[in-house]
Amino acid sequence: MSDSSAGPRIRIEDAGKHVGETVSIAGWLYNLRKSGKIVFPILRDGSGMMQCVGVKAELPEETFETLKHLTQESSLVLTGKIRAEERAMGGYEMDIQSVEVLQRVPESQPYPITPKEHGIDFLMDNRHLWLRSKRQHAILRVRHEVVRAVRDFFDDNGFTLVDCPIFTPASCEGTTTLFEVDYFEDEKVYLTQSGQLYNEATAMAFGKTYCFGPTFRAEKSKTRRHLTEFWMVEPEMAYATIEDVKQLAERFVCSVVARVLDKKREELKVLERDTAKLEACVPPFPRMSYDEAVRILQEKGSAIEWGSDFGGTDETILTESQDRPIMVDRFPTAIKAFYMQPDPARPEVALGVDVLAPEGYGEIIGGGERIHDLDLLMSRLREHHLPEEPFDWYMDLRRYGAVPHGGFGMGIERCVAWICGLEHVRETIAFPRMLYRTKP
Amino acid sequence: MSDSSAGPRIRIEDAGKHVGETVSIAGWLYNLRKSGKIVFPILRDGSGMMQCVGVKAELPEETFETLKHLTQESSLVLTGKIRAEERAMGGYEMDIQSVEVLQRVPESQPYPITPKEHGIDFLMDNRHLWLRSKRQHAILRVRHEVVRAVRDFFDDNGFTLVDCPIFTPASCEGTTTLFEVDYFEDEKVYLTQSGQLYNEATAMAFGKTYCFGPTFRAEKSKTRRHLTEFWMVEPEMAYATIEDVKQLAERFVCSVVARVLDKKREELKVLERDTAKLEACVPPFPRMSYDEAVRILQEKGSAIEWGSDFGGTDETILTESQDRPIMVDRFPTAIKAFYMQPDPARPEVALGVDVLAPEGYGEIIGGGERIHDLDLLMSRLREHHLPEEPFDWYMDLRRYGAVPHGGFGMGIERCVAWICGLEHVRETIAFPRMLYRTKP
């Protein structure tokens, strides 16, 4: 276009450092208000949004005409002077001096996502564009902060990151929800459902360890809490008991929430999140046994019987009146994985713990103490009708320097849904994969 | 065991803060030297190793006997006083007061990895135990630091982490090396080979973005540089040219190497890495065009002809005499992916750049500028005989606010192999997956 840019290129989030200066910002048109004599293009550049001001009387005619006819999501570079403006979003505005349009989206084929309401299927089909919207942008910025907070917490607490394999020969959480992959020459491998078995090996090598990557569950459930591909962080500690696991989980969750409150206030505001609810997330978390939880649920009218796992509704009932996460421990051994340590005082319950987020967001953490005795683990494997050969390496961890150990897993998407206050996990990841959704 | 532990539990890496104090350290026996009157158990706890000293004359008989008969990788808690000792590994020793053995590995079934030489297949079969060895421990600690440095670099430079999906409907790098997954009801999806196409969408939403996760290539190659599952970090920038990509790659690589030199000296010493070679990694990197590289290779006796991609040997020739990474740009358009921007001045070469690590470690980074013009991209798609429908969403990025943009991908395992000075990438990841290796 005719006007060339002048002044150093800055990002909108850094505008405060350039008040009074003439700078250029490269971005896309988010919205445009206009009258005969003045235009207000709202520019987004990925780091933020800024209202810019173009005054007809102060601009070459061609420049004003260009600004006036900008279309949504056209790419452009605006040059002008930055001015502090209390009432403006972000606190700054630009007085436009010139504009360079890189690509003008034509009226004949306009940007498909308009300020009007769209159905969820349409938005999901256009997920590659929907990410540009204010709300989705805010959610994924919060997600980034959650990921940073998670990693910083473990890095700063002496844990070594040791990522576990995605291709696994055996199942950890049951064989019905495995995705099968054709490896070479008719070999079959499975996509990991959890890194935990491998974490136990690395905990014996590094003392404290964590893995953090995508995990996969071929669950045919179409609920607001399920994705087929989701990210999970899993710490594991040698020489640790269920009490150590609980304390770690509590400190960890509080640290992640505090970080988001500290760094992503603006994004939470965009999401209209009641931050008072998040500020309540401080230790100690209420603790109860599975026995007590079942009693409470039955009193509140749930049909649950001792021995069953909680349903989504049960989790909602237990947490809706809470202002912070709750920890439930000692679940029936029969409904837990084969490697879960039974309570020595009462072997029908296992030393496992779930953390349920408040406000009905349900389970975000599951973990506990693992069996470290070889004979006990072998007998549990048989009770679960699992083959011995694929687990032989796992048994080695009980043959050579066994110690009490434990850890947990936290699903990132559920955690982000809770922190952002979202109804459905599908908005917490850039390109969600669900039962009927593998595109774009 | 009889002796109970006393004193606060500490980790070996924190020993320096507890000189003169009586503390307990929980770990595993790495090695044991002994005479009739004194034993020197070397304890490892995952954070480090420490030589401990047990003197017969100063200990109850039972304690001394227990120490004397410890076996490799038995789990134990040692209690004693920490003493600075210049000549000791790590700089500290413990004078043992008591010992608690959690599990004594029996002589009848000893720990399989002994100080003697083992074959690589045996070690790989026992990877879950091999990770406890000094060298493997050091490599994975370096890997952790590389991952942290990578994330900190992008986080601190205004990039938003937006992870890309693992399940993808289409291929990015060619269809012959795809792993196929059975999704639900006869649907097929593929494991991602690169997040780049998705990164382009997120760069238009966030300006500067990166993804960092596992990627998959079903390559039937059995070389020292290939894994079927490997981790890749991929930044992407809107409003960026190939020059921006080169500068970013240079700053990035130098920052990662500097961080490892700063934080992981001890580990590099264990690996006997010549750190002078890493200290040479500072800007500017030597730059050359593909044309020049071919000329140099031909002079040095390579059979390469203009138009072919480099072989591993070519990469070695180009870099073995260099003390820092080199950047090669403008490869033949015909051998590059369909989305690579052709040089406007010379369309037979593309605005792509590879970074080759020195000392013969080969390509660690590949990247460049992407086509942002819709018509050009459409014609390139057809030339590559790729179907249009799966790429329709990708074309949208050229329909709605197209801008010049680019980025790169760096394979973590190759980078770690170079920094650690390793012959083969298989030791750079906890549980490597290769053509004939999917276990443990």
Side-chain angles (χ1 to χ4, degrees):
Chain A
M1 294 296 298
S2 55
D3 306 304
S4 70
S5 74
R9 181 77 61 87
I10 70 156
R11 303 189 86 200
I12 290 172
E13 64 183 352
D14 298 325
K17 300 176 199 155
H18 299 276
V19 174
E21 295 172 26
T22 295
V23 298
S24 296
I25 300 178
W28 297 266
L29 186 80
Y30 195 71
N31 207 346
L32 182 72
R33 284 191 304 123
K34 56 190 168 185
S35 73
K37 293 177 181 174
I38 192 159
V39 290
F40 298 101
I42 294 178
L43 190 66
R44 65 165 193 87
D45 76 342
S47 80
M49 292 204 196
M50 182 181 273
Q51 175 159 293
C52 304
V53 186
V55 180
K56 187 172 183 177
E58 294 169 8
L59 290 171
E61 191 177 331
E62 195 196 0
T63 303
F64 189 76
E65 284 302 304
T66 301
L67 290 171
K68 208 169 118 183
H69 294 100
L70 284 174
T71 49
Q72 195 189 349
E73 286 303 319
S74 290
S75 45
L76 68 160
V77 180
L78 289 177
T79 299
K81 199 179 272 190
I82 300 295
R83 175 169 42 75
E85 171 54 69
E86 241 177 54
R87 296 162 304 174
M89 69 179 104
Y92 303 93
E93 284 187 350
M94 174 191 275
D95 292 319
I96 300 168
Q97 293 166 6
S98 67
V99 56
E100 180 194 2
V101 178
L102 280 86
Q103 189 215 6
R104 186 172 179 281
V105 177
E107 278 91 353
S108 59
Q109 195 187 20
Y111 186 71
I113 302 175
T114 60
K116 72 163 188 169
E117 285 271 318
H118 296 281
I120 186 67
D121 283 337
F122 176 83
L123 291 170
M124 277 290 167
D125 287 342
N126 286 286
R127 184 65 174 165
H128 55 294
L129 303 175
W130 191 25
L131 296 173
R132 304 181 185 184
S133 300
K134 215 167 171 175
R135 223 180 118 74
Q136 300 307 312
H137 190 265
I139 294 167
L140 291 181
R141 299 260 285 190
V142 170
R143 180 189 169 102
H144 181 190
E145 198 64 48
V146 167
V147 171
R148 292 189 72 170
V150 164
R151 292 186 178 270
D152 286 348
F153 179 85
F154 291 115
D155 292 347
D156 294 345
N157 281 279
F159 287 75
T160 301
L161 170 74
V162 189
D163 283 310
C164 296
I166 307 297
F167 289 145
T168 58
S171 149
C172 176
E173 298 281 341
T175 49
T176 56
T177 57
L178 282 174
F179 283 113
E180 193 175 270
V181 181
D182 300 314
Y183 209 66
F184 302 99
E185 287 163 22
D186 301 329
E187 194 179 344
K188 296 282 183 194
V189 295
Y190 305 93
L191 298 182
T192 183
Q193 296 182 305
S194 158
Q196 188 224 306
L197 302 190
Y198 292 96
N199 269 349
E200 293 183 49
T202 62
M204 301 306 144
F206 294 89
K208 297 200 281 184
T209 190
Y210 73 105
C211 67
F212 190 1
T215 50
F216 305 86
R217 304 257 166 111
E219 279 178 287
K220 283 208 164 181
S221 38
K222 221 187 129 184
T223 83
R224 63 191 178 87
R225 289 180 189 166
H226 285 90
L227 298 168
T228 56
E229 173 188 323
F230 61 100
W231 284 65
M232 185 150 67
V233 59
E234 296 173 87
E236 187 79 19
M237 301 178 286
Y239 287 97
T241 64
I242 186 174
E243 276 311 312
D244 298 318
V245 172
K246 279 191 205 167
Q247 280 170 34
L248 184 76
E250 189 177 67
R251 282 206 302 131
F252 167 66
V253 169
C254 294
S255 136
V256 170
V257 171
R259 173 78 83 85
V260 174
L261 282 169
D262 180 34
K263 302 277 189 189
K264 290 288 174 275
R265 284 269 166 194
E266 281 304 314
E267 284 77 2
L268 294 174
K269 203 181 289 173
V270 168
L271 298 169
E272 296 171 333
R273 181 65 168 119
D274 180 354
T275 49
K277 295 240 164 97
L278 297 176
E279 272 147 13
C281 182
V282 287
F285 293 170
R287 286 155 158 81
M288 67 178 76
S289 67
Y290 170 86
D291 294 357
E292 283 171 68
V294 168
R295 210 151 46 226
I296 293 170
L297 287 169
Q298 287 172 342
E299 277 169 24
K300 295 198 174 175
S302 165
I304 193 171
E305 305 218 8
W306 199 99
S308 309
D309 211 348
F310 300 147
T313 315
D314 293 322
E315 292 181 353
T316 303
I317 295 173
L318 282 174
T319 63
E320 62 192 354
S321 63
Q322 298 288 343
D323 68 345
R324 64 193 75 187
I326 66 171
M327 299 209 266
V328 184
D329 71 0
R330 291 174 166 75
F331 286 81
T333 307
I335 59 169
K336 286 290 173 182
F338 74 94
Y339 49 72
M340 196 79 89
Q341 177 75 46
D343 189 338
R346 212 182 135 206
E348 70 275 19
V349 296
L351 297 179
V353 58
D354 281 4
V355 178
L356 309 180
E359 302 170 68
Y361 281 96
E363 184 199 332
I364 50 170
I365 281 180
E369 206 173 313
R370 332 297 185 182
I371 294 173
H372 62 279
D373 180 81
L374 180 63
D375 295 335
L376 179 56
L377 189 60
M378 280 300 248
S379 69
R380 296 284 291 152
L381 199 68
R382 284 186 209 111
E383 281 165 39
H384 277 72
H385 306 292
L386 288 164
E388 283 179 33
E389 192 277 329
F391 291 97
D392 195 50
W393 69 269
Y394 184 63
M395 295 298 160
D396 275 355
L397 309 175
R398 282 74 187 168
R399 293 184 184 111
Y400 308 112
V403 300
H405 61 287
F408 63 78
M410 183 182 82
I412 293 301
E413 287 73 17
R414 288 191 185 179
C415 177
V416 172
W418 161 47
I419 291 178
C420 290
L422 306 179
E423 184 60 28
H424 199 297
V425 290
R426 68 188 159 211
E427 291 179 47
T428 62
I429 188 166
F431 297 95
R433 296 298 183 241
M434 295 174 285
L435 184 49
Y436 299 115
R437 166 69 59 191
T438 58
K439 296 171 191 172
Chain B
M1 293 296 297
S2 56
D3 306 303
S4 70
S5 74
R9 182 77 59 88
I10 70 157
R11 303 189 85 202
I12 290 173
E13 65 183 354
D14 298 325
K17 300 177 199 155
H18 299 275
V19 174
E21 296 173 24
T22 294
V23 298
S24 297
I25 301 178
W28 296 264
L29 186 80
Y30 195 70
N31 207 345
L32 181 71
R33 283 190 304 122
K34 56 191 168 184
S35 71
K37 294 177 178 172
I38 192 160
V39 290
F40 299 100
I42 294 179
L43 190 65
R44 65 165 194 86
D45 75 343
S47 80
M49 292 205 196
M50 182 180 275
Q51 175 160 293
C52 304
V53 186
V55 180
K56 187 172 181 176
E58 294 169 7
L59 290 171
E61 189 179 330
E62 194 195 0
T63 303
F64 189 76
E65 284 302 304
T66 300
L67 290 171
K68 208 169 117 185
H69 293 100
L70 284 173
T71 49
Q72 195 190 348
E73 286 302 319
S74 289
S75 45
L76 68 160
V77 180
L78 288 178
T79 299
K81 199 179 272 187
I82 301 295
R83 173 170 42 76
E85 172 54 70
E86 241 176 56
R87 297 161 304 175
M89 70 179 104
Y92 304 94
E93 285 187 350
M94 173 190 275
D95 292 320
I96 301 168
Q97 293 166 6
S98 68
V99 56
E100 181 193 3
V101 178
L102 280 87
Q103 190 215 6
R104 188 173 177 279
V105 177
E107 278 89 355
S108 59
Q109 196 188 20
Y111 186 68
I113 303 176
T114 59
K116 71 163 188 168
E117 285 273 316
H118 296 281
I120 185 68
D121 283 336
F122 176 83
L123 291 170
M124 278 290 167
D125 287 341
N126 286 287
R127 184 66 175 164
H128 55 294
L129 303 175
W130 190 24
L131 296 172
R132 305 180 186 186
S133 300
K134 215 168 172 177
R135 222 180 120 75
Q136 300 306 312
H137 189 265
I139 293 168
L140 291 180
R141 298 262 284 190
V142 170
R143 181 190 168 103
H144 181 191
E145 198 64 49
V146 167
V147 171
R148 291 188 74 170
V150 164
R151 294 188 177 269
D152 286 349
F153 179 86
F154 291 114
D155 292 347
D156 295 344
N157 281 279
F159 288 74
T160 302
L161 171 74
V162 189
D163 283 309
C164 296
I166 306 296
F167 288 145
T168 57
S171 150
C172 176
E173 298 280 340
T175 48
T176 55
T177 57
L178 283 172
F179 283 112
E180 194 175 271
V181 181
D182 301 313
Y183 210 65
F184 302 99
E185 286 163 24
D186 300 329
E187 193 179 346
K188 296 282 183 192
V189 295
Y190 305 93
L191 298 182
T192 184
Q193 298 182 304
S194 158
Q196 188 223 306
L197 303 189
Y198 292 97
N199 269 349
E200 294 183 49
T202 61
M204 301 305 145
F206 295 88
K208 298 199 282 184
T209 190
Y210 74 104
C211 67
F212 191 0
T215 51
F216 305 86
R217 303 258 167 108
E219 278 178 288
K220 283 210 164 180
S221 38
K222 219 187 131 187
T223 83
R224 64 192 177 86
R225 289 180 188 164
H226 286 90
L227 298 168
T228 56
E229 174 186 322
F230 61 100
W231 283 65
M232 186 151 66
V233 57
E234 297 174 85
E236 188 80 19
M237 301 178 285
Y239 288 96
T241 64
I242 185 173
E243 277 311 312
D244 297 319
V245 172
K246 279 190 207 169
Q247 281 170 34
L248 183 76
E250 189 177 66
R251 282 207 301 132
F252 166 65
V253 169
C254 293
S255 134
V256 171
V257 171
R259 172 77 84 84
V260 175
L261 283 169
D262 180 34
K263 303 275 189 191
K264 289 289 173 276
R265 285 269 166 192
E266 280 305 312
E267 284 78 0
L268 294 174
K269 202 180 288 173
V270 168
L271 299 169
E272 296 172 332
R273 181 65 167 123
D274 180 355
T275 48
K277 294 240 165 95
L278 297 175
E279 272 147 13
C281 183
V282 287
F285 293 170
R287 287 154 156 82
M288 67 179 76
S289 67
Y290 170 86
D291 294 359
E292 283 171 68
V294 168
R295 211 154 41 226
I296 291 170
L297 287 169
Q298 287 172 342
E299 278 169 23
K300 295 198 174 175
S302 165
I304 194 170
E305 305 217 9
W306 198 100
S308 310
D309 211 347
F310 300 147
T313 315
D314 294 322
E315 291 181 354
T316 303
I317 296 173
L318 282 173
T319 63
E320 61 191 354
S321 63
Q322 298 287 345
D323 68 345
R324 64 193 75 186
I326 66 171
M327 298 210 267
V328 184
D329 72 358
R330 292 176 165 75
F331 285 79
T333 307
I335 59 170
K336 286 291 173 181
F338 74 95
Y339 50 71
M340 194 79 87
Q341 177 76 44
D343 189 339
R346 210 182 137 207
E348 71 274 19
V349 296
L351 297 180
V353 59
D354 280 4
V355 179
L356 309 181
E359 303 170 67
Y361 281 96
E363 184 199 331
I364 49 171
I365 281 181
E369 207 174 312
R370 331 299 186 181
I371 294 172
H372 61 280
D373 180 81
L374 181 63
D375 294 335
L376 179 57
L377 188 60
M378 281 300 245
S379 68
R380 295 283 292 152
L381 199 67
R382 283 183 210 115
E383 282 165 38
H384 282 250
H385 306 293
L386 288 164
E388 284 179 31
E389 192 276 327
F391 292 96
D392 195 50
W393 68 269
Y394 184 63
M395 295 298 160
D396 275 355
L397 309 176
R398 281 75 187 167
R399 293 184 184 111
Y400 307 113
V403 301
H405 63 286
F408 62 79
M410 184 180 82
I412 293 303
E413 287 74 16
R414 288 191 185 180
C415 177
V416 173
W418 162 48
I419 291 178
C420 290
L422 307 178
E423 185 60 27
H424 199 296
V425 290
R426 68 188 160 211
E427 292 179 45
T428 62
I429 187 165
F431 297 95
R433 297 300 183 236
M434 294 173 284
L435 183 49
Y436 300 114
R437 166 70 58 192
T438 57
K439 296 171 190 169

